[in-house]
PDB file of all heavy atoms in Angstrom:
ATOM      1  N   GLY A 383      79.146 -19.321  -5.510  1.00 39.00           N
ATOM      2  CA  GLY A 383      77.756 -19.698  -5.711  1.00 39.00           C
ATOM      3  C   GLY A 383      77.550 -21.177  -5.960  1.00 39.00           C
ATOM      4  O   GLY A 383      76.429 -21.673  -5.860  1.00 39.00           O
ATOM      5  N   GLU A 385      78.842 -23.660  -4.191  1.00 43.00           N
ATOM      6  CA  GLU A 385      78.717 -24.322  -2.902  1.00 43.00           C
ATOM      7  C   GLU A 385      78.548 -23.252  -1.828  1.00 43.00           C
ATOM      8  O   GLU A 385      79.037 -22.130  -1.956  1.00 43.00           O
ATOM      9  CB  GLU A 385      79.960 -25.169  -2.588  1.00 43.00           C
ATOM     10  CG  GLU A 385      80.098 -26.399  -3.459  1.00 43.00           C
ATOM     11  CD  GLU A 385      81.273 -27.250  -3.026  1.00 43.00           C
ATOM     12  OE1 GLU A 385      81.838 -26.977  -1.949  1.00 43.00           O
ATOM     13  OE2 GLU A 385      81.618 -28.190  -3.750  1.00 43.00           O
ATOM     14  N   ARG A 386      77.856 -23.631  -0.754  1.00 41.00           N
ATOM     15  CA  ARG A 386      77.679 -22.711   0.363  1.00 41.00           C
ATOM     16  C   ARG A 386      79.030 -22.287   0.919  1.00 41.00           C
ATOM     17  O   ARG A 386      79.909 -23.104   1.146  1.00 41.00           O
ATOM     18  CB  ARG A 386      76.852 -23.388   1.450  1.00 41.00           C
ATOM     19  CG  ARG A 386      76.547 -22.487   2.644  1.00 41.00           C
ATOM     20  CD  ARG A 386      75.792 -23.238   3.706  1.00 41.00           C
ATOM     21  NE  ARG A 386      74.529 -23.756   3.208  1.00 41.00           N
ATOM     22  CZ  ARG A 386      73.726 -24.560   3.909  1.00 41.00           C
ATOM     23  NH1 ARG A 386      74.073 -24.934   5.133  1.00 41.00           N
ATOM     24  NH2 ARG A 386      72.594 -24.988   3.395  1.00 41.00           N
ATOM     25  N   GLY A 387      79.193 -20.983   1.100  1.00 45.00           N
ATOM     26  CA  GLY A 387      80.419 -20.470   1.678  1.00 45.00           C
ATOM     27  C   GLY A 387      81.498 -20.118   0.671  1.00 45.00           C
ATOM     28  O   GLY A 387      82.511 -19.533   1.035  1.00 45.00           O
ATOM     29  N   VAL A 388      81.297 -20.473  -0.619  1.00 42.00           N
ATOM     30  CA  VAL A 388      82.277 -20.132  -1.637  1.00 42.00           C
ATOM     31  C   VAL A 388      81.965 -18.736  -2.157  1.00 42.00           C
ATOM     32  O   VAL A 388      80.983 -18.514  -2.860  1.00 42.00           O
ATOM     33  CB  VAL A 388      82.266 -21.146  -2.797  1.00 42.00           C
ATOM     34  CG1 VAL A 388      83.277 -20.744  -3.870  1.00 42.00           C
ATOM     35  CG2 VAL A 388      82.581 -22.535  -2.282  1.00 42.00           C
ATOM     36  N   THR A 389      82.796 -17.755  -1.800  1.00 50.00           N
ATOM     37  CA  THR A 389      82.555 -16.367  -2.181  1.00 50.00           C
ATOM     38  C   THR A 389      83.548 -15.874  -3.220  1.00 50.00           C
ATOM     39  O   THR A 389      83.384 -14.790  -3.773  1.00 50.00           O
ATOM     40  CB  THR A 389      82.632 -15.454  -0.950  1.00 50.00           C
ATOM     41  OG1 THR A 389      83.923 -15.617  -0.331  1.00 50.00           O
ATOM     42  CG2 THR A 389      81.536 -15.813   0.052  1.00 50.00           C
ATOM     43  N   GLU A 390      84.603 -16.622  -3.468  1.00 61.00           N
ATOM     44  CA  GLU A 390      85.561 -16.300  -4.519  1.00 61.00           C
ATOM     45  C   GLU A 390      86.095 -17.616  -5.076  1.00 61.00           C
ATOM     46  O   GLU A 390      85.889 -18.671  -4.481  1.00 61.00           O
ATOM     47  CB  GLU A 390      86.707 -15.454  -3.975  1.00 61.00           C
ATOM     48  CG  GLU A 390      87.540 -16.134  -2.912  1.00 61.00           C
ATOM     49  CD  GLU A 390      88.685 -15.259  -2.424  1.00 61.00           C
ATOM     50  OE1 GLU A 390      88.525 -14.030  -2.391  1.00 61.00           O
ATOM     51  OE2 GLU A 390      89.737 -15.821  -2.101  1.00 61.00           O
ATOM     52  N   GLU A 392      87.871 -20.938  -5.861  1.00 80.00           N
ATOM     53  CA  GLU A 392      88.670 -21.825  -5.023  1.00 80.00           C
ATOM     54  C   GLU A 392      89.311 -22.898  -5.888  1.00 80.00           C
ATOM     55  O   GLU A 392      88.652 -23.500  -6.745  1.00 80.00           O
ATOM     56  CB  GLU A 392      87.793 -22.499  -3.961  1.00 80.00           C
ATOM     57  CG  GLU A 392      87.305 -21.577  -2.867  1.00 80.00           C
ATOM     58  CD  GLU A 392      86.552 -22.336  -1.777  1.00 80.00           C
ATOM     59  OE1 GLU A 392      86.440 -23.574  -1.888  1.00 80.00           O
ATOM     60  OE2 GLU A 392      86.075 -21.692  -0.834  1.00 80.00           O
TER      61      GLU A 392
END
Side-chain angles (χ1 to χ4, degrees):
E385 290 185 10
R386 183 183 300 174
V388 178
T389 57
E390 62 179 33
E392 289 185 1

